[in-house]
Amino acid sequence: MIYRSILVSLFALGAGYVLLTSQIVLDPWSEMDAINSRTLPYLYGTGLMLCAFMLAWQQPNKVEVSRRLLPLAAVCLVIITFIILLPYTGLWWALGALLLLNMLIMGERRLPILLGTSISVPLVGWGLVEQLLEMVIPL
């Protein structure tokens, strides 16, 4: 049952991706081209739908549920939280929170490592990208 619901979810994700791809606005000079900015997303979405459809005809292998499924779900939740926080906190603060929470999930408990990494990586990134290269990240 879980196998089939995962396949249905993947098929729906591919269909939604194709639907969103059809809304990509093309430049007037690239509308008539055979390969344009819609081509690769169409291939990805259609490929995902075809793979999910083909896997529906196969019998799934019996696999035990891993104990590492909970940390994986927690990492996915942190990534979703990172994406949600981006417009509100900016890239560098959200990146620091992402690093800190993922290190905690993976079992790191040493405070100097936690704080050093989650502060230094965004700080170095900010220094290199926004100060040295003078690029503004539009978030």
Side-chain angles (χ1 to χ4, degrees):
M1 182 64 184
I2 292 175
Y3 180 74
R4 300 284 184 216
S5 60
I6 290 172
L7 289 180
V8 168
S9 299
L10 287 175
F11 188 85
L13 184 69
Y17 195 72
V18 168
L19 180 67
L20 289 174
T21 299
S22 67
Q23 297 174 2
I24 294 175
V25 179
L26 295 177
D27 297 326
W29 54 84
S30 65
E31 285 180 346
M32 302 309 265
D33 292 340
I35 297 175
N36 53 38
S37 60
R38 289 184 187 166
T39 305
L40 199 55
Y42 272 136
L43 289 175
Y44 286 154
T46 306
L48 181 59
M49 289 174 17
L50 286 174
C51 288
F53 186 73
M54 295 303 292
L55 286 173
W57 299 110
Q58 295 182 359
Q59 188 69 356
N61 295 335
K62 303 295 180 195
V63 178
E64 291 183 29
V65 177
S66 174
R67 296 182 342 222
R68 301 294 294 167
L69 194 59
L70 185 60
L72 176 63
V75 167
C76 291
L77 183 64
V78 168
I79 292 172
I80 290 170
T81 305
F82 169 74
I83 293 169
I84 292 170
L85 283 178
L86 273 174
Y88 302 109
T89 63
L91 174 64
W92 307 116
W93 289 102
L95 179 62
L98 173 76
L99 290 171
L100 178 70
L101 292 173
N102 277 329
M103 286 189 296
L104 285 170
I105 291 169
M106 293 300 130
E108 182 60 55
R109 297 293 182 256
R110 295 173 289 182
L111 196 58
I113 301 292
L114 288 170
L115 293 178
T117 303
S118 62
I119 292 173
S120 65
V121 170
L123 191 61
V124 168
W126 173 79
L128 288 174
V129 172
E130 292 194 12
Q131 300 303 310
L132 186 65
L133 296 176
E134 297 178 354
M135 294 175 60
V136 178
I137 308 293
L139 290 175

